[in-house]
Structures are given as structure tokens and as C-alpha cells.
Amino acid sequence: MILIENGKIYTMTGKNYVNGSVLIHEGKIIDVGEKIRVKKDVKRIDAKGGWVLPGFIEAHCHIGINEQDMGFEGLDVNESTDPITPELRAIDAINPMDSAFKDAIKAGVTTVMTGPGSANVIGGQFVAMKTKGNCIENMILLEKAAIKVALGENPKRVYREKKRMPSTRMATASLLRETLFKAKQYKLKKEKAIKEERDFEENLKMEALIDVIDKKIPLKAHCHRADDILTAIRIAKEFDVNMTLDHCTEGHLISDYIKDSGKSAIVGPTLTSRSKIEVKNKTFKTAGVLNKKGVKVAITTDHPVVPIEYLPICAAFAAKEGLEINEALKAITINAAEICGIEDRVGSIEIGKDADIVIFDGNPLEIFTKTMYTIINGEVVYSM
């Protein structure tokens, strides 16, 4: 049992405590309040003067599957030999020994959504996982958390060089539509075969998309440019599937349309150069503009594009450019959890949730602030 006491508790649920306590037992939060009475044998952490927050959540990255210090040997993020690969599973390529996980923990990032890159129109399955562990099976929150799809420059550049489809935005959208249509037809045929007790030959590509068709998991749509964002929204509407708008770089230019779509945005990476045409209008103002329109916003580093330890710095720049400080903190905690579908476990300091808690010596959005403690599943995994 661990008692965090004397800290500024930011629960991310609306109720905060100026001089509060959090009680942890068997990996879960069992109490939060001003004063918590406990037995003398409890382990105490004095957070006096510190900020106590839920562990940060990176909602879109490639940690472990694109290892930061390995080169080709650790580069497993894109199977760029087939534009349609929904059956690929991130869990089969993530290396928990990637040194970036230690960087994440030191920065207070306790949960990530990580998976395939954007070379393919459909890249494969993302996983939601904790950042501490040496066996991925013991780190998973959601094994199949989303299916990655990509629009815009990346798939057309990759397959143009191979002289095959897609080499245009039209072809990218067409392939995505065709595959979703096939998945719907496959689901109906499978259900009919089961009902009639007939043999049915399963197809791994189509099987992977059934949860998307049933709206159990979203498509995770890589889309930077405004027209690509609108294409993603259009296709999601056509097939009645859930979708998150990842990167959403020009989202500030079409904020009304995004609001009307009901889609959430995972904004970033913005702490980068304008490395390609589709990010020429990138700005840290995007998150604030979308938030003020009522769009649920998370912030991403897209690690390793921006190192994952700079997630709170990216949130800070967004706050500087119009996203309120509390909203910036929500963008890397509870908003990120809700967008990723893991808010029942993480994202806020509430009774019953996983004891993923970070204690800072000040405001984590300030550059000189240091992490004092990182706690994952009730275990202190980093201390200053």
C-alpha cells in the first residue's frame, strides 16, 4: 500500500485538491481526498510542493516498433510491400526493450497507443499498452485498439516508386473503399454460413476488419491536409465506421467540418520542421482552435518523429498558442484515454482506476520542471 500525500492533486475529472492524498493498493487507486487515514505501515511518498497527475498518454506513436537507436534492425513499422495489410499486428513487432520506453517513463508517459506507420493504405493493428515491462503480453491494455489507415502523401509516394496502385489520392481512397466494402460483404457471408451451419473459409485480412465494421474499434486515420481529413470523414460516413483523425495538421482550416463530423483529433507532431508539402500549414494553434469548436483533442509526438519525452513540451506549446493549460493537460491524459478507448483504466486519478500516477516538482508544462516519481500499476518505476 502506498500513500501519496501533501501534493497538488490534479485528477482530470474537474475536482482537484490543493493539499491532497492518493491511496494505492494492489495496483489500483482506492482513495483520493484531502486527508486519508491509513495504518502506520503504509509506504508514504511526500509530494509537498509537487504536482500529482495521472500518467501521461501518447495517443499515436511508433515506440517499440520503430526503435529509436537500432537502424534497420529495429525498423518494423511499415510492411511496404502490399498496400492493404489490416491483418498485421503491432504486438508481433514491438520490442519492450526499446530504450525509448525508459525515456517515456522518466517523462511521465505511462501509456501509449503504438503501431504501424503510414506507408500502406491500411497498415495494421495498433495496441494500447503500458510503458513498463519486458513482456508485451503483460503490458497490454487493448491488444487490438484500432486499425491504421493512411491518406495523403505517404502511401502514394511509397507505391508510385513501386509502379503500382496507389499513386494518387483517388486510388488511395478507392482501395480503402473497396476493402471496407469487401469486409462488409465478408461479414454477411460469414454470418449466413454460421446460421446455415455451413463450412466457411476465413480470410485474415477480412477478419481483422470485422471489429471496425461492427464499430467495436475505430479506424486510425493518418491525415494531414484539409482535403485528406475531409476524405477520411467522408469514407467513415459512407461505411458508418468509427474513426479518429490522426495528425489533423490542417484541422484549424476546416474546424467547423470536423466539429460537425463528431470525430476526435489527435494533433501533431508539430515540434518538427515542415518536412513535406502536406504539413506546410502546421501550427501549434491547431489544438486550441479545434478545442474551442468543441472537438475532443489529444496531442501526439508521433514518436520517434518527435522524441516521446517531449510530449508535455508539445502540450505546453499548444497551451502557449491558445489551448488553455487545463485543456493541454487533458490532451495528454483523460482526452487521450477517451479517444483511445481506455478511459476505464487510465487517464484520471479516480477510485478503481489503474494506479498510474506521476509526481512533478512543478507545472509539467514548464521546461524546468522535473519528474520526481513515476508510478505504473502501483509500482514506483522511476524516482528522481
Side-chain angles (χ1 to χ4, degrees):
M1 190 175 287
I2 298 175
L3 178 66
I4 301 169
E5 53 189 350
N6 305 320
K8 298 176 182 178
I9 313 294
Y10 293 84
T11 65
M12 295 295 110
T13 62
K15 185 172 184 179
N16 300 322
Y17 301 91
V18 175
N19 186 26
S21 301
V22 182
L23 186 60
I24 298 167
H25 183 56
E26 295 182 348
K28 297 289 184 179
I29 297 167
I30 63 170
D31 203 358
V32 185
E34 291 290 350
K35 294 291 183 181
I36 300 175
R37 294 183 178 181
V38 293
K39 297 177 181 179
K40 293 182 179 179
D41 59 355
V42 71
K43 178 180 179 180
R44 296 174 183 268
I45 295 177
D46 187 359
K48 187 175 182 179
W51 289 40
V52 182
L53 289 103
F56 293 155
I57 300 168
E58 168 55 88
H60 175 119
C61 68
H62 310 286
I63 190 171
I65 195 170
N66 187 354
E67 298 179 60
Q68 67 177 4
D69 51 9
M70 289 289 289
F72 172 78
E73 291 77 8
L75 186 62
D76 292 300
V77 70
N78 282 308
E79 182 56 50
S80 52
T81 57
D82 179 350
I84 306 296
T85 56
E87 75 279 17
L88 300 185
R89 300 179 182 183
I91 60 167
D92 296 323
I94 293 168
N95 181 7
M97 308 300 178
D98 181 0
S99 62
F101 283 108
K102 290 183 179 179
D103 296 335
I105 289 169
K106 185 177 179 181
V109 180
T110 58
T111 299
V112 295
M113 269 272 270
T114 185
S118 51
N120 294 347
V121 178
I122 304 180
Q125 302 168 29
F126 262 64
V127 62
M129 60 182 287
K130 300 293 181 77
T131 53
K132 177 62 176 179
N134 54 22
C135 173
I136 191 167
E137 275 79 7
N138 298 329
M139 302 164 73
I140 290 172
L141 281 167
L142 280 178
E143 179 177 327
K144 187 178 178 183
I147 297 285
K148 177 69 175 289
V149 300
L151 298 106
E153 290 181 25
N154 289 11
K156 61 177 281 189
R157 181 185 66 251
V158 168
Y159 287 96
R160 178 177 179 272
E161 292 173 357
K162 300 178 186 301
K163 300 187 183 302
R164 61 174 298 190
M165 194 173 178
S167 62
T168 64
R169 282 180 165 84
M170 292 184 295
T172 298
S174 176
L175 283 173
L176 180 53
R177 281 194 179 93
E178 178 185 9
T179 307
L180 291 174
F181 177 80
K182 286 179 178 178
K184 281 200 165 190
Q185 295 300 110
Y186 174 88
K187 179 177 179 288
L188 291 173
K189 290 177 182 178
K190 182 178 181 179
E191 289 173 347
K192 185 177 180 181
I194 292 171
K195 185 177 181 180
E196 296 175 355
E197 298 183 343
R198 292 187 287 104
D199 290 339
F200 182 80
E201 185 178 351
E202 293 186 342
N203 179 307
L204 287 180
K205 288 181 184 288
M206 297 297 104
E207 285 289 328
L209 290 167
I210 287 178
D211 282 348
V212 172
I213 299 303
D214 287 342
K215 303 179 82 168
K216 292 180 180 178
I217 63 170
L219 292 177
K220 195 169 182 63
H222 167 110
C223 47
H224 284 282
R225 220 168 68 175
D227 56 337
D228 294 324
I229 297 168
L230 292 172
T231 296
I233 292 170
R234 185 182 312 118
I235 292 174
K237 185 177 181 180
E238 287 175 21
F239 289 90
D240 188 28
V241 295
N242 293 330
M243 175 182 284
T244 63
L245 304 174
D246 292 45
H247 306 311
C248 208
T249 302
E250 291 189 348
H252 58 285
L253 302 179
I254 51 170
S255 57
D256 286 327
Y257 295 100
I258 295 173
K259 167 59 178 173
D260 291 344
S261 76
K263 302 291 182 279
S264 299
I266 302 174
V267 178
T270 316
L271 194 64
T272 59
S273 64
R274 292 179 172 83
S275 57
K276 53 184 179 178
I277 297 298
E278 64 185 8
V279 299
K280 67 178 181 179
N281 290 316
K282 77 177 182 69
T283 170
F284 276 107
K285 295 181 185 294
T286 303
V289 171
L290 292 174
N291 172 261
K292 286 178 173 60
K293 286 290 183 179
V295 177
K296 186 170 290 183
V297 172
I299 289 173
T300 177
T301 61
D302 198 19
H303 176 92
V305 179
V306 174
I308 196 166
E309 62 265 35
Y310 298 145
L311 180 63
I313 299 302
C314 292
F317 276 116
K320 179 181 177 182
E321 294 296 336
L323 185 65
E324 294 178 5
I325 290 177
N326 188 58
E327 292 299 320
L329 289 171
K330 287 170 67 176
I332 54 176
T333 56
I334 190 61
N335 281 8
E338 290 174 351
I339 291 171
C340 294
I342 51 178
E343 72 276 12
D344 61 324
R345 296 275 303 274
V346 295
S348 61
I349 298 178
E350 294 182 84
I351 294 173
K353 287 198 174 183
D354 293 1
D356 293 359
I357 295 173
V358 190
I359 305 172
F360 299 95
D361 65 1
N363 184 343
L365 301 187
E366 293 180 352
I367 190 69
F368 291 109
T369 296
K370 294 180 180 179
T371 306
M372 297 168 65
Y373 295 92
T374 301
I375 299 170
I376 298 179
N377 295 329
E379 177 189 355
V380 176
V381 296
Y382 172 82
S383 60
M384 187 168 61

